[in-house]
Amino acid sequence: MEEINNWCLWIWAENSDFLLTWWEVDALPELTQQDDKIFEYSQSRTPHCTLYSAFGAVSDLFNYEFTQKEIDEIVEESYKRGRIKWEWWYVKSAVNLVADYWNDHHSDLWKVVYYRVSLYDTETVDKILSKNYTLCSWYRGNSKYNADYKEDCILNWVSFGTWTYGHAVSWIGRNGNRYIKDNYKGRKNWKLPTNIYKVEHTPSELVSGGTYFQDAYVYVKVNNEAEVRRLETLKTECLNCIKELQTIYHLVNDTNFQWILHYTADKLRAKIADAERELSKYR
């Protein structure tokens, strides 16, 4: 992961499968805007659980609720990216698509990148959750899993035997506790709402028990203003270097050396052109 500055990640941290580690999590800011609100969605009877997990995570990050129109557009885009209609999709693919959609439609000030987190690393997971970040995750479920958390809104066991379905959800943290946020807003059992339920054991125990997959994903804000400053600085430095190369060029008589100077200046001009193309995204 790239340098963290001004309470955000620099924009040139590319979307990738980089693993977020505990010392990088220490530098992340706490998300205070989430203290009073948790964004919930309902996937109803659709197979879009991985997308809805990502919707909730981005909403928690930016304090923003996706409209139904936006959700429909993202679902349609998932088909264009190779997903078979009305079938499940990979968590990472969904996380990547929702990040792309946000960056294309809502990035006036903040963009978003995502990083992989290992649920085996309970210490890192707990640090992320304590700062109010949301993790997109995936588990192997069956009727025993459902009965467990629906009984008292607590997932008490770590292993549930042969799984009959897979499902994407989110991990959130509140008041030092871990919770699973599902994608069925308003769902209840006979006495309690069950879309958000407490997790009794550590993430690593649930992975070791064969219930949760090891990899999860977290979204992180990126500051556009910082990136603009970086690109403008890069342009200025390249221009200054070209001027110095031109001065040296006229002081030497070695043809081979002049060719090297000319080649280097062309490379710097290419960098300036790249920076201009990137800057055009923010204008």
Side-chain angles (χ1 to χ4, degrees):
M1 193 181 75
E2 300 298 327
E3 179 186 2
I4 294 172
N5 188 54
N6 295 333
W7 302 105
C8 65
L9 288 177
W10 287 103
I11 185 72
W12 58 85
E14 297 290 338
N15 276 356
S16 63
D17 213 10
F18 292 139
L19 181 67
L20 200 64
T21 57
W22 66 265
W23 59 269
E24 293 162 326
V25 174
D26 283 342
L28 289 175
E30 183 174 348
L31 301 177
T32 56
Q33 80 270 24
Q34 293 179 246
D35 290 345
D36 298 323
K37 184 172 180 60
I38 298 173
F39 287 88
E40 298 178 72
Y41 293 91
S42 179
Q43 70 177 79
S44 299
R45 295 183 180 275
T46 69
H48 308 323
C49 61
T50 54
L51 289 171
Y52 276 87
S53 171
F55 294 151
V58 171
S59 292
D60 289 342
L61 182 65
F62 290 104
N63 197 31
Y64 176 87
E65 187 166 1
F66 287 95
T67 66
Q68 188 59 52
K69 179 177 180 294
E70 290 176 317
I71 290 173
D72 292 342
E73 289 175 351
I74 293 171
V75 169
E76 189 61 31
E77 179 62 27
S78 72
Y79 300 141
K80 294 178 182 177
R81 295 192 179 194
R83 177 184 170 213
I84 300 174
K85 286 196 174 185
W86 293 96
E87 290 195 10
W88 64 276
W89 210 28
Y90 294 107
V91 174
K92 182 183 175 182
S93 299
V95 167
N96 179 61
L97 170 55
V98 176
D100 287 346
Y101 186 90
W102 178 272
N103 292 336
D104 288 340
H105 295 81
H106 296 287
S107 58
D108 292 342
L109 177 60
W110 296 99
K111 285 199 172 187
V112 65
V113 293
Y114 61 86
Y115 293 92
R116 181 167 57 89
V117 177
S118 173
L119 291 185
Y120 267 130
D121 187 353
T122 296
E123 181 182 359
T124 296
V125 170
D126 283 346
K127 284 182 179 180
I128 291 171
L129 298 182
S130 70
K131 294 186 175 187
N132 291 327
Y133 289 86
T134 300
L135 290 173
C136 299
S137 183
W138 176 273
Y139 71 86
R140 305 171 180 92
N142 56 24
S143 59
K144 292 181 181 179
Y145 182 102
N146 299 342
D148 181 14
Y149 79 81
K150 288 182 178 180
E151 173 63 26
D152 55 5
C153 279
I154 300 175
L155 189 67
N156 297 284
W157 301 351
V158 297
S159 185
F160 300 89
T162 303
W163 60 296
T164 58
Y165 70 87
H167 187 50
V169 292
S170 303
W171 290 73
I172 60 174
R174 290 298 183 276
N175 302 316
N177 296 312
R178 309 177 193 97
Y179 294 88
I180 296 298
K181 179 175 66 170
D182 210 333
N183 314 312
Y184 298 97
K185 181 179 180 180
R187 182 183 58 188
K188 296 182 179 180
N189 64 8
W190 62 277
K191 62 179 179 178
L192 295 170
T194 59
N195 193 53
I196 297 177
Y197 50 94
K198 185 179 177 181
V199 181
E200 189 69 20
H201 294 273
T202 65
S204 61
E205 288 174 319
L206 286 164
V207 173
S208 298
T211 302
Y212 273 77
F213 289 84
Q214 176 178 345
D215 291 337
Y217 290 89
V218 61
Y219 289 110
V220 179
K221 291 180 179 180
V222 173
N223 190 318
N224 290 355
E225 292 180 354
E227 171 64 354
V228 170
R229 290 195 300 272
R230 182 187 78 85
L231 291 169
E232 292 288 3
T233 300
L234 176 63
K235 281 178 54 184
T236 300
E237 290 176 349
C238 288
L239 286 170
N240 290 337
C241 286
I242 290 172
K243 290 178 181 178
E244 292 179 9
L245 291 174
Q246 289 174 337
T247 299
I248 297 172
Y249 182 92
H250 294 293
L251 293 175
V252 298
N253 294 319
D254 188 316
T255 303
N256 290 332
F257 188 53
Q258 286 178 329
W259 182 88
I260 294 172
L261 295 173
H262 182 77
Y263 176 82
T264 304
D266 282 345
K267 287 292 185 181
L268 291 171
R269 292 186 185 96
K271 284 186 174 292
I272 292 172
D274 289 341
E276 281 290 352
R277 279 192 292 272
E278 288 298 313
L279 282 168
S280 67
K281 299 177 182 178
Y282 304 97
R283 292 168 178 161

